[in-house]
Amino acid sequence: MMKLAAVFLLACALSLLVPSGAAAQTDYVIGPQDVLTVTVYDHADLSGKFSVEADGTLTFPLIGRVKAAGLTLRALEDTLKTQFADGYLKSPQVAVAIDEYKSQRVFVMGEVRGPGAYQLTGDMTIIEALAKAGGVTQTSAEEILVVRPSASAKSAGPAAPNDTESTVLKVNIRELQAGALSQNLLLRDGDTIVVGRSQAVYVFGQVRAPGAYPSARGTTVLQALSLAGGVTDRGSTGRVKVVRAQDGKNRELKVKLTDIVEPGDTLIVGERFF
């Protein structure tokens, strides 16, 4: 199964299709500790960088404290225009942009190289968050969960998939690699990305590298043998059997190379008759 080495390449392509820059930022919801760049055109003395305080307000020259937390950047622009126009400036032109994202974050957990909390920056997608976490490991599952807390939930840490107050969204890495943009979710503040560990198939007998290998959905017997380095000169692809747990018992099944293996299967390649 292709891993996130391919996903990093895909991230570059997707970045051309996902909104970015100032136009996309205007929908960002401001929070405490964010640092904003405010430009009042033709008034350099009123422009600069402003930090949102813990109470969600900013302090500006002339107009004093302004509530910023909970507003989008465009909404704050409109608020500032209105207040500057109220006896201070004639037809003020104001632009607000994010200088530092500090109020919102997402969590990336499980089979990634750098699990932890990451700042939510602009229109961040799941593929960008995975890239920030260093990509998934070789033992990652094909399906990824995005646990999204309810609007009323205010959690200081990652949300659990069994949290009844959260919504669980599923993303398929294989479909994402194939270019399914519907899988590249836009993340929200507090989202937790959970990358599980894939179940393995076990390949023994006359193969070059016996052992356990991650099993993606739809893996065939031939593909599983390829993961184990292929059949040795003494092995026979016509003498492959599978030991599979069924109804609490291990059963031995004869299989063809095109049959689909199941997680937990043990493949055994026998020797040639001559």
Side-chain angles (χ1 to χ4, degrees), residues 126 142 170 244:
I126 186 169
E142 182 177 313
K170 296 181 179 180
R244 178 174 295 163

Side-chain angles (χ1 to χ4, degrees), residues 115-160:
Y118 292 89
Q119 296 296 329
L120 180 64
T121 56
D123 289 329
M124 180 185 285
T125 64
I126 186 169
I127 203 169
E128 292 168 328
L130 291 174
K132 283 181 176 290
V136 302
T137 67
Q138 292 298 313
T139 56
S140 67
E142 182 177 313
E143 188 173 76
I144 293 175
L145 303 181
V146 178
V147 185
R148 179 160 292 169
S150 64
S152 59
K154 295 294 183 181
S155 175

